[in-house]
Amino acid sequence: MLEEVERWLRTRSWSVADRPLHRILAAKQRTGQSVSVVLPALNEEETVGDIVAIIRHDLMQQVPLVDEIVVVDSGSTDRTSEVAAAAGARVEHRDEILPRIPAVPGKGEVLWRSLLVTSGDVVCFIDADLKEFSSDFVAGIVGPLLTDPEVDLVKGMYDRPLAGAAGQGGRVTELMARPLLNMHWPQLAGFVQPLGGEYAARRSLLEQLPFPVGYGVELGMLADALHLVGLDALAQVDVGVRKHRHQDGQALGRMAAAIYRTAQLRLARGHLVRPSLTQFERGEDGFEPRTYSVDTEERPPMAEIAEYAERRVA
């Protein structure tokens, strides 16, 4: 590991307990910063309501840390929107945000569009499929941004159990993202959960970043933020244990392909060889190929979008 990364681990890796809530609240009041929490959601009716209710109760009603909770529904066919609204979130629909640009499927697409329907100086992203959720996830990762003006982006780090086994979750992280980062962005090798969906950043940074529309958004954001603001502006906070719904092996393969493509674009802005991935499923006549396109589209920095600039002026 690079000496720079060892130093970073000592100075930019914290625990949620390092910043008591009263200290975070005092910093928020002193600086006048506002906090938006965004949950990207697709068919998450079983979990989204509990997450919203906990954030609203702990960090809006009991203490004024969070200023708005926005669930961005990316085309759910279940009751995600109704459950989220009943729990106290403002629900926005992906296809109704910036309709001039037709929406495409993908998590990154939703996160990018969320900048247009939130107002916080600090934007905190939380995945909507978390189970046994704690508001420490939010307080822990926004804390450094409110108390330390030199920090621009904070990732959550946590244990990720799989089928009851500790530390076995995050398979795409271990098999794809971590090797890529160690080999090509060794300064980012200290991130425990580089692909984790729980992180927060200053709006002033997010609006300058391109957003891969799919699963590559987290790796792309880390690499681009490193280039834009440097390693010492990035940090991570230990928030405990993350439990969520796990995807099957083929879905993880598609995720890995998108992440690899995101890395390839940033490494070389190079020539696309083949933007697709073929996998195999056993059918009646043996193994049958299934070919999926790999996310290659990216959205430009939000600061370049006219509607966003007009909203900021207004």
Side-chain angles (χ1 to χ4, degrees):
M1 184 176 291
L2 295 177
E3 182 177 336
E4 180 183 10
V5 176
E6 293 180 350
R7 176 191 56 77
W8 180 84
L9 283 168
R10 294 192 302 270
T11 61
R12 286 291 186 265
S13 293
W14 298 296
S15 165
V16 65
D18 291 337
R19 287 176 175 79
L21 193 54
H22 68 83
R23 179 184 166 196
I24 299 172
L25 288 168
K28 181 177 188 286
Q29 184 176 20
R30 183 177 66 253
T31 61
Q33 298 176 87
S34 55
V35 176
S36 299
V37 175
V38 173
L39 280 72
L42 176 63
N43 295 330
E44 303 294 357
E45 67 175 349
E46 293 184 5
T47 51
V48 68
D50 287 342
I51 298 171
V52 169
I54 290 169
I55 296 172
R56 184 171 178 80
H57 175 267
D58 292 359
L59 302 179
M60 295 183 80
Q61 296 173 340
Q62 288 200 331
V63 298
L65 180 62
V66 172
D67 297 282
E68 63 178 350
I69 306 174
V70 179
V71 170
V72 183
D73 192 327
S74 58
S76 298
T77 56
D78 65 1
R79 297 181 62 252
T80 290
S81 292
E82 293 87 342
V83 170
R90 172 160 55 88
V91 177
E92 302 282 352
H93 295 274
R94 178 198 62 195
D95 295 352
E96 297 174 3
I97 304 170
L98 196 61
R100 175 176 64 85
I101 301 177
V104 297
K107 179 182 179 182
E109 177 83 355
V110 175
L111 300 185
W112 182 71
R113 289 174 187 264
S114 76
L115 297 181
L116 267 166
V117 293
T118 54
S119 58
D121 302 300
V122 171
V123 182
C124 175
F125 299 118
I126 300 290
D127 280 350
D129 65 342
L130 302 188
K131 303 174 182 177
E132 301 178 28
F133 178 77
S134 167
S135 59
D136 282 350
F137 274 67
V138 175
I141 59 181
V142 304
L145 294 161
L146 295 176
T147 59
D148 189 339
E150 296 183 351
V151 175
D152 288 328
L153 184 150
V154 180
K155 295 281 293 190
M157 58 176 168
Y158 30 67
D159 296 315
R160 295 184 67 179
L162 175 64
Q168 295 303 305
R171 291 162 287 174
V172 176
T173 293
E174 300 303 329
L175 296 175
M176 175 60 72
R178 200 176 307 286
L180 279 173
L181 292 176
N182 276 264
M183 287 187 289
H184 299 298
W185 291 277
Q187 287 178 294
L188 298 175
F191 277 95
V192 176
Q193 297 291 353
L195 300 185
E198 291 68 48
Y199 50 98
R202 300 191 191 282
R203 177 177 295 273
S204 57
L205 171 62
L206 293 171
E207 66 187 15
Q208 297 181 69
L209 300 177
F211 276 61
V213 298
Y215 287 123
V217 62
E218 275 86 20
L219 184 137
M221 189 177 294
L222 269 185
D224 293 339
L226 175 67
H227 175 73
L228 197 63
V229 297
L231 182 60
D232 282 342
L234 313 180
Q236 60 185 350
V237 173
D238 187 347
V239 292
V241 179
R242 182 186 196 268
K243 297 181 180 180
H244 65 113
R245 182 186 66 250
H246 292 279
Q247 300 194 55
D248 63 34
Q250 293 207 331
L252 296 179
R254 297 190 290 275
M255 184 185 300
I259 290 165
Y260 177 76
R261 175 56 180 154
T262 299
Q264 182 194 37
L265 281 171
R266 278 149 183 78
L267 285 169
R269 298 292 169 181
H271 184 70
L272 183 62
V273 177
R274 181 174 179 264
S276 59
L277 173 72
T278 299
Q279 298 176 318
F280 293 87
E281 299 176 6
R282 185 182 290 278
E284 294 181 358
D285 299 320
F287 285 101
E288 300 174 356
R290 299 284 188 274
T291 299
Y292 302 88
S293 61
V294 174
D295 295 319
T296 59
E297 187 169 357
E298 296 195 2
R299 294 305 190 188
M302 187 58 78
E304 298 177 5
I305 300 298
E307 289 90 338
Y308 185 78
E310 292 168 0
R311 190 197 68 135
R312 297 283 281 175
V313 170

